[in-house]
């Protein structure tokens, strides 16, 4: 299959409406979209990514008015949706009984998200249907934050890539379960626990003893480049730096000898560049990637989550 590359949402929306797969930019990472009304397209999303079939897809909407098409949202869900959407978060709510079970991998819940991104918005409005979309990477690889990264993973496997700028947030959305009495964060992201607690003081991170099943995606090897990832504490030595990449806020003593160095000004820039840095290190054939540890609060919690997962990946 020849993949279309374009900056124009209209032809991409037309392809999606006919059952095609279209990658599109969002503020978090690029998504790989399929119409929730096309069962074959939904099946092809799993095939194109090599995604385990029991890992549910997030449904993307242009506007909160569309929530009722795919979900049954209660009062807590509605109030969180009103405050946090559009934005870099996903709410897990009760699914609409008519939603295709392939989207939710047979679960009673569905993740819904309204991206805060002009191109995503234009695309989703043109589609006019809810769009199921996982991140646009091959399963197990770092999420794609540029259209070139989508191309590297999915060229020839999907109908189109809607080209936009690099994603500004750079890590996937905060996934928040709102089906119980308190919001529970299943996956940390740019919408922080602290922000959600300001709205609902009882909000908390998922705990392994929680009765609800965790984001199934978090079970799988994730975010992992081919290189071996190390969570680096400042001051720790970096052996054979020429074979290593380093990303962080502080310059390590080995800086001038490193194979690749990315110094970032703040945590926002760290999150934004992390996955692209993983991919660049892989392209250079570096053996190890050091990511500086940051305090696990605010956006730092999401950075540490991705780093520790990537580090555990092998
Ligand atoms: O920022 C994002 O969320 C991006 C962009 C494209 O929107 N999407 C994304 O999708 O990261 P994906 O499929 O790579 O990750 C979705 C995560 C997975 O861990 C999945 O298991 C979880 O959300 N998830 C989806 N639906 C769920 C549900 N009903 N219950 C629990 N977890 C769910
Ligand atoms: Mg993903």
């Amino acid at each position: 299959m020849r993949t279309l590359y374009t900056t124009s949402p209209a032809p991409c929306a037309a392809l999606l409406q006919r059952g095609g797969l279209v990658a599109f930019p969002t503020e978090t990472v690029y998504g790989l979209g399929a119409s929730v009304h096309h069962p074959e397209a939904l099946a092809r999303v799993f095939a194109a990514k090599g995604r385990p079939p029991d890992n549910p897809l997030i449904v993307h909407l242009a506007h909160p008015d569309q929530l009722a098409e795919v979900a049954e949202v209660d009062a807590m869900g509605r109030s969180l949706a009103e405050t946090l959407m559009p934005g870099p978060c996903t709410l897990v709510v009760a699914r609409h009984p008519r939603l295709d079970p392939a989207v939710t991998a047979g679960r009673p819940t569905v993740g819904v998200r309204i991206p805060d991104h002009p191109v995503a918005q234009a695309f989703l409005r043109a589609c006019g249907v809810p769009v199921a979309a996982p991140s646009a990477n091959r399963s197990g690889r770092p999420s794609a934050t540029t259209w070139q990264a989508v191309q590297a993973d999915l060229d020839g496997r999907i109908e189109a890539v809607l080209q936009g700028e690099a994603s500004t947030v750079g890590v996937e959305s905060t996934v928040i379960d709102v089906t119980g009495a308190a919001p529970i964060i299943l996956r940390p992201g740019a919408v922080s626990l602290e922000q959600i607690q300001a709205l609902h003081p009882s909000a908390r991170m998922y705990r392994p003893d929680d009765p609800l099943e965790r984001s199934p995606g978090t079970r799988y090897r994730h975010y992992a480049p081919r290189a071996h990832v190390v969570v680096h504490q400042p001051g720790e030595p970096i052996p054979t730096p020429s074979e290593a990449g380093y990303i962080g806020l502080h310059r390590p003593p080995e800086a001038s000898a490193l194979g690749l160095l990315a110094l970032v000004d703040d945590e926002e820039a760290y999150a934004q560049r992390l996955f692209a840095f993983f991919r660049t290190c892989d392209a250079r054939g570096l053996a190890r990637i050091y990511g500086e540890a940051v305090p696990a609060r605010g956006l730092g919690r999401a950075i540490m989550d991705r780093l520790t997962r990537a580090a555990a990946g092998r």
Side-chain angles (χ1 to χ4, degrees):
M1 173 190 316
R2 194 190 171 107
T3 302
L4 169 73
Y5 290 84
T6 176
T7 56
S8 174
C12 291
L15 284 166
L16 179 129
Q17 287 163 343
R18 291 201 296 271
L21 305 189
V22 177
F24 61 98
T26 85
E27 77 275 32
T28 56
V29 300
Y30 275 65
L32 174 59
S35 165
V36 299
H37 300 315
H38 275 273
E40 329 78 64
L42 295 171
R44 283 183 51 222
V45 167
F46 289 88
K49 280 188 58 110
R51 183 179 180 97
D54 63 346
N55 193 2
L57 307 177
I58 294 172
V59 175
H60 293 66
L61 308 170
H63 194 274
D65 287 349
Q66 292 174 288
L67 281 170
E69 289 178 45
V70 295
E72 293 181 339
V73 187
D74 66 6
M76 181 168 74
R78 260 197 307 279
S79 85
L80 280 171
E82 271 162 27
T83 344
L84 300 176
M85 291 182 171
C89 69
T90 295
L91 296 184
V92 172
V93 294
R95 67 184 277 261
H96 192 290
R98 279 199 302 278
L99 182 65
D100 190 323
V103 174
T104 66
R107 291 158 170 261
T109 56
V110 60
V112 287
R113 167 156 141 75
I114 303 177
D116 185 14
H117 187 279
V119 180
Q121 279 281 337
F123 171 64
L124 292 168
R125 272 199 308 274
C127 288
V129 293
V131 172
S135 50
N137 52 284
R138 293 294 287 270
S139 222
R141 301 264 300 135
S143 292
T145 54
T146 62
W147 68 261
Q148 291 91 342
V150 178
Q151 179 177 43
D153 276 21
L154 297 171
D155 186 55
R157 300 176 153 256
I158 63 178
E159 272 69 18
V161 175
L162 178 54
Q163 298 164 297
E165 305 286 314
S167 298
T168 50
V169 174
V171 291
E172 306 85 349
S173 62
T174 309
V175 178
I176 314 162
D177 179 289
V178 295
T179 59
I184 297 180
I185 297 186
L186 303 177
R187 178 178 73 182
V191 171
S192 66
L193 173 64
E194 292 79 1
Q195 254 173 289
I196 301 164
Q197 281 173 336
L199 306 166
H200 283 272
S202 59
R204 59 176 177 80
M205 296 301 294
Y206 168 86
R207 290 193 296 253
D209 61 337
D210 275 333
L212 91 161
E213 202 188 341
R214 186 166 196 181
S215 255
T218 55
R219 277 202 306 270
Y220 302 105
R221 182 168 179 270
H222 239 97
Y223 317 120
R226 279 183 283 276
H228 178 68
V229 175
V230 181
V231 183
H232 185 253
Q233 304 294 340
E236 276 176 5
I238 299 179
T240 50
S242 63
E243 294 167 16
Y246 173 97
I247 181 167
L249 293 143
H250 302 98
R251 189 181 191 84
E254 299 85 351
S256 57
L258 282 165
L260 199 62
L261 173 66
L263 283 181
V264 290
D265 288 338
D266 51 31
E267 289 184 357
E268 281 70 28
Y270 194 164
Q272 205 241 326
R273 291 181 60 182
L274 182 63
F275 290 148
F277 186 75
F278 281 177
R279 285 174 178 265
T280 308
C281 287
D282 275 353
R284 303 266 181 101
L286 296 172
R288 279 164 294 116
I289 300 172
Y290 292 83
E292 184 185 341
V294 292
R297 61 176 127 76
L299 182 59
R301 198 180 277 108
I303 294 170
M304 287 305 282
D305 173 74
R306 303 317 188 263
L307 278 179
T308 49
R309 266 178 220 294
R314 46 190 61 220

